Amino acid sequence: MTEATDLAERAGDRNPRIGLRAVAALRRLLEQLEAVQVRSARAQGWSWQEIAAELGVSRQAVHKKHGRR
């Protein structure tokens, strides 16, 4: 099982402590994956608007979050 799959399974645990910890870990993983994909898109010449459209957010939001990295 992959880390993400294991975390997703634990996120549904009946024990809130286990579930919440898994949700927090998934959130961190998601942030890392987003940053990798945004860097990749920028390296391939994508505009902030194109990236924002794919993420379902505004250009300003994605630029603010990833523009200085």
Side-chain angles (χ1 to χ4, degrees):
M1 219 184 289
T2 68
E3 178 185 4
T5 303
D6 184 45
L7 288 172
E9 186 175 306
R10 285 189 281 155
D13 198 284
R14 289 177 146 309
N15 182 331
R17 187 173 314 279
I18 293 170
L20 290 169
R21 286 179 180 171
V23 167
L26 282 166
R27 186 177 292 127
R28 288 188 300 273
L29 179 59
L30 180 61
E31 290 296 323
Q32 292 169 356
L33 291 170
E34 181 178 307
V36 166
Q37 291 300 330
V38 168
R39 280 193 306 270
S40 175
R42 292 295 292 163
Q44 293 179 41
W46 284 41
S47 69
W48 289 113
Q49 184 61 48
E50 290 172 304
I51 295 167
E54 294 303 319
L55 292 174
V57 300
S58 70
R59 179 191 60 78
Q60 293 85 353
V62 76
H63 185 265
K64 181 178 179 180
K65 185 173 182 178
H66 297 284
R68 296 184 190 111
R69 294 180 181 184

